[in-house]
Amino acid sequence: MYKKLFMTAAFVAACIQTNAQTLATEYKGTSNNNPISPCVYCADPTALDYNGRLYVYGSNDHQQFIKNGKKGTNEYGDIKSLVVLSTDDMVNWTFHGTIDVAKVCTSWGGGFFRSWAPSVTWRHNESTGKDEFFLYFANWASNVGVLTADSPIGPWKSPLNKALVSGDTPGVSPCNWCFDPGVVIDENGTGWLSFGGGDPNNKGTDIQPNNAGIIKLKPSMTAVDGKAVKLPAPYHFEASELNVMNGKYVYTYCSNWANRSDADWNKYKQDKGISISKPETCTMCYMVSDNPTDPNSWVYKGVYGPHPGSSPNNHSHLHKFQGKYYHIYHNGLLLEGMKNTKATDSDASTYRSICVDEVTVDEATQTISKASLTAKGASGIRYLNPYELQQAETMGNCGGINYEDFTNIEKNTSISTLGNDASRNLQVKMKEGSWINQKRVDFGSTGADRFTLRAKGTGTLEIRLGAKSLKTVATVNFSSTAMEEQTIEIDASQFKGIKSVYFVATAANNFYVDAWQFTEQGATGIQEAIANSKKPTANSQTYDLSGRRLSNGQQHRGIVIKNGKKVWH
């Protein structure tokens, strides 16, 4: 009941020379893994891991960048959405689009202002059998809102139609900035939310601004339980986040710019029985407690995140993923790269980008070593599998691809809608000279003998290995008015081992690339289901784009064949 789908294109030999063509400039550097997005400004990161992937969320600085005409100063006033990226290898990141918080929160009426500095968590609800996701965000400096979803990429909804924590919440006032939430679910299943920021309030001092707070959440995670308590965080300013290690609560925050009086610090150390140096300005600090609602239980443990010199502020998240801890933070690397290549005006400033570096943590003692901020970034923890369907928006680097070039295939599908406005399956518009790079791609010892591209429009996509300027080893000449898969045969001897793969558009006319996949030499061909009038049986099987059968519950994104029908996952 299947027919072969091979739409054969001309095979291009490995000896063909690279066209004498100007290729788009990269902003992050070929050997660098930071920032995690080579073309999207985003900041104030948080993260969760789910089904083997690390999802990072951040303030959508790029929304302000576009609003400002790609120049000027980022003053954050037009940021009303959040960015979502994910990875399973720490070097290739999938851009999932944006969560349009302004649209999600239309029911707030005039109560919604901005969406900054998210914090996320998730849990499995035993009573319903479902996974539940919770995202908390700073609604300007006024209050904290919450969104909920059934998956890490949405669709998201506002369960309260108003803020969760505000100045009216018991125990919050006085608090200059009721923002920058940090959420954690502890080992007992209890949710906690930290928040707060700003210069000292009317009951605070330079060393104890009195703006940091924490509050217990009810089992719903969308209501508070009791009153907030103040956290005695020295030189606190903003950027709250929470972790749990070995039964202890770890609170992280950014320090302020206040004068550090030796007398004040010596008294603080004496009162607390510690011998730690006072924190430098705008650094990431941390405290530890075994009872979050007892202010006297919190112990200051020092600085773990230095000031990112290329950013005017500091905000980070500490996260354990696949056995390693990572310091996820923002800086100005992408802006520097764009300025250096004349991609934006020299007066552009304070547009931030998210970076990740490994950090050493002793969970037994809740001790975090001071992190290093590098352009090289985190090392890869696994190889990218070219024999699985890969989205075009998964990349380690790119050139000529802009934030606004990521568009939707289907805008109104309930399965893939992120936040009323963006979809899981995005497509990337490629212009002549633009390119996408995937790092650490493992073709194995057998090699690949076929390549499938899902795209629409007219274009020529060349595959190059090792560097974007090296010889072309295969070419797809594509022309279609609708999204379509096209397969070409390739030389398996060229596609073996670990490679850095470049997809280069040498010609493009409304050319949108959605996904790609290689086929291992000797594997069965891509198959397309033919309509069958018979009713599907309970024993019907699910296959991926390569015709391989998938086991029940196996995670898969892309085209699959299920019950005799081709569907998207």
Side-chain angles (χ1 to χ4, degrees):
M1 299 305 297
Y2 297 97
K3 67 179 181 181
K4 294 292 182 181
L5 185 68
F6 289 117
M7 296 172 287
T8 305
F11 165 70
V12 180
C15 61
I16 290 180
Q17 297 293 324
T18 300
N19 292 336
Q21 180 184 34
T22 301
L23 299 184
T25 303
E26 60 186 312
Y27 305 136
K28 64 184 281 183
T30 302
S31 61
N32 293 337
N33 293 326
N34 279 332
I36 63 174
S37 172
C39 57
V40 178
Y41 288 117
C42 43
D44 307 323
T46 188
L48 61 80
D49 55 277
Y50 180 70
N51 282 354
R53 293 191 70 83
L54 179 68
Y55 291 84
V56 173
Y57 306 72
S59 303
N60 188 1
D61 277 24
H62 217 102
Q63 186 173 24
Q64 187 71 64
F65 184 59
I66 294 173
K67 182 75 172 181
N68 290 354
K70 301 184 179 181
K71 57 185 179 182
T73 300
N74 179 13
E75 295 179 344
Y76 321 121
D78 290 294
I79 299 176
K80 300 180 181 181
S81 58
L82 302 169
V83 169
V84 188
L85 301 107
S86 75
T87 186
D88 63 359
D89 62 18
M90 300 307 295
V91 296
N92 297 295
W93 292 81
T94 302
F95 176 59
H96 294 287
T98 60
I99 304 170
D100 191 337
V101 184
K103 282 190 176 181
V104 175
C105 296
T106 52
S107 60
W108 289 32
F112 172 81
F113 306 109
R114 314 280 188 273
S115 57
W116 300 341
S119 185
V120 294
T121 192
W122 74 279
R123 70 181 177 192
H124 180 73
N125 190 322
E126 295 291 347
S127 62
T128 64
K130 294 182 179 180
D131 295 336
E132 300 173 333
F133 297 81
F134 304 92
L135 186 153
Y136 304 83
F137 68 94
N139 180 29
W140 202 11
S142 298
N143 48 59
V144 173
V146 59
L147 306 180
T148 59
D150 294 327
S151 89
I153 58 172
W156 297 91
K157 62 182 179 180
S158 173
L160 302 180
N161 302 322
K162 62 178 182 178
L164 170 65
V165 175
S166 68
D168 295 329
T169 303
V172 170
S173 292
C175 180
N176 285 352
W177 298 343
C178 183
F179 79 157
D180 283 14
V183 67
V184 74
I185 298 176
D186 67 20
E187 294 158 336
N188 299 315
T190 302
W192 299 90
L193 190 73
S194 58
F195 57 89
D199 293 326
N201 60 40
N202 55 16
K203 294 185 178 180
T205 63
D206 285 345
I207 193 172
Q208 288 292 346
N210 198 46
N211 287 316
I214 190 169
I215 195 165
K216 185 179 178 181
L217 298 174
K218 289 185 176 180
S220 67
M221 297 291 289
T222 59
V224 298
D225 187 357
K227 62 183 295 185
V229 299
K230 297 294 184 180
L231 294 177
Y235 299 110
H236 175 272
F237 189 67
E238 59 183 347
S240 298
E241 278 281 21
L242 287 169
N243 279 275
V244 172
M245 297 181 194
N246 195 28
K248 303 281 189 178
Y249 300 84
V250 180
Y251 172 66
T252 60
Y253 66 95
C254 176
S255 65
N256 60 22
W257 283 263
N259 176 53
R260 269 78 164 139
S261 163
D262 288 339
D264 287 346
W265 187 249
N266 288 335
K267 184 177 186 306
Y268 178 84
K269 289 195 299 180
Q270 184 177 2
D271 291 345
K272 299 296 182 180
I274 61 175
S275 58
I276 299 171
S277 300
K278 57 180 178 287
E280 302 92 342
T281 60
C282 198
T283 54
M284 297 304 304
C285 308
Y286 71 111
M287 302 180 72
V288 174
S289 168
D290 57 7
N291 182 3
T293 57
D294 178 8
N296 294 322
S297 70
W298 287 94
V299 178
Y300 176 77
K301 298 198 66 173
V303 171
Y304 80 93
H307 176 270
S310 55
S311 171
N313 48 35
N314 205 350
H315 196 123
S316 75
H317 174 67
L318 182 71
H319 199 92
K320 187 178 183 181
F321 177 64
Q322 300 295 324
K324 292 184 178 182
Y325 271 95
Y326 294 94
H327 176 53
I328 310 173
Y329 60 99
H330 68 232
N331 63 15
L333 279 182
L334 181 59
L335 179 61
E336 289 179 355
M338 293 188 73
K339 282 184 173 183
N340 291 339
T341 56
K342 311 298 183 185
T344 189
D345 289 353
S346 60
D347 68 341
S349 64
T350 65
Y351 299 105
R352 302 160 297 176
S353 46
I354 293 176
C355 299
V356 179
D357 279 283
E358 296 177 29
V359 66
T360 301
V361 175
D362 185 336
E363 292 182 333
T365 61
Q366 303 84 47
T367 302
I368 311 170
S369 298
K370 196 165 184 178
S372 296
L373 313 185
T374 70
K376 182 180 179 181
S379 300
I381 60 173
R382 69 189 296 270
Y383 296 109
L384 188 147
N385 185 355
Y387 305 124
E388 294 178 351
L389 189 80
Q390 300 290 344
Q391 299 300 314
E393 60 274 16
T394 298
M395 58 186 73
N397 204 352
C398 72
I401 306 298
N402 297 313
Y403 172 91
E404 54 269 38
D405 292 329
F406 293 91
T407 57
N408 300 311
I409 296 171
E410 299 171 289
K411 277 186 176 291
N412 300 313
T413 56
S414 60
I415 292 175
S416 60
T417 299
L418 246 174
N420 301 341
D421 181 72
S423 72
R424 171 183 296 183
N425 294 305
L426 301 176
Q427 55 189 353
V428 181
K429 184 176 183 179
M430 299 194 73
K431 299 175 277 291
E432 184 174 333
S434 64
W435 52 272
I436 294 173
N437 167 227
Q438 287 82 26
K439 301 181 177 184
R440 293 165 51 89
V441 181
D442 186 3
F443 289 97
S445 58
T446 303
D449 64 2
R450 277 161 286 167
F451 173 73
T452 298
L453 179 71
R454 178 173 168 83
K456 73 175 181 179
T458 302
T460 298
L461 194 70
E462 297 185 358
I463 305 175
R464 303 173 187 176
L465 303 177
K468 59 183 178 292
S469 58
L470 292 181
K471 295 178 182 179
T472 298
V473 293
T475 299
V476 183
N477 293 304
F478 195 95
S479 184
S480 174
T481 57
M483 272 294 165
E484 188 175 89
E485 300 88 45
Q486 181 166 313
T487 298
I488 64 168
E489 296 178 357
I490 57 178
D491 181 0
S493 68
Q494 298 290 329
F495 294 90
K496 291 184 178 182
I498 312 298
K499 305 288 185 182
S500 186
V501 177
Y502 289 81
F503 297 116
V504 182
T506 55
N509 182 15
N510 290 320
F511 189 36
Y512 293 88
V513 178
D514 172 41
W516 58 270
Q517 185 173 19
F518 287 88
T519 302
E520 193 168 11
Q521 185 172 220
T524 57
I526 300 169
Q527 296 176 319
E528 180 180 54
I530 299 176
N532 189 339
S533 60
K534 294 182 179 180
K535 183 178 179 180
T537 67
N539 295 323
S540 59
Q541 301 295 337
T542 302
Y543 299 84
D544 70 6
L545 188 59
S546 295
R548 292 175 294 185
R549 191 169 68 183
L550 303 175
S551 60
N552 291 336
Q554 183 174 344
Q555 294 293 316
H556 186 81
R557 291 178 55 210
I559 296 177
V560 299
I561 299 169
K562 185 174 183 179
N563 294 344
K565 295 182 180 180
K566 185 170 69 174
V567 298
W568 279 95
H569 272 198

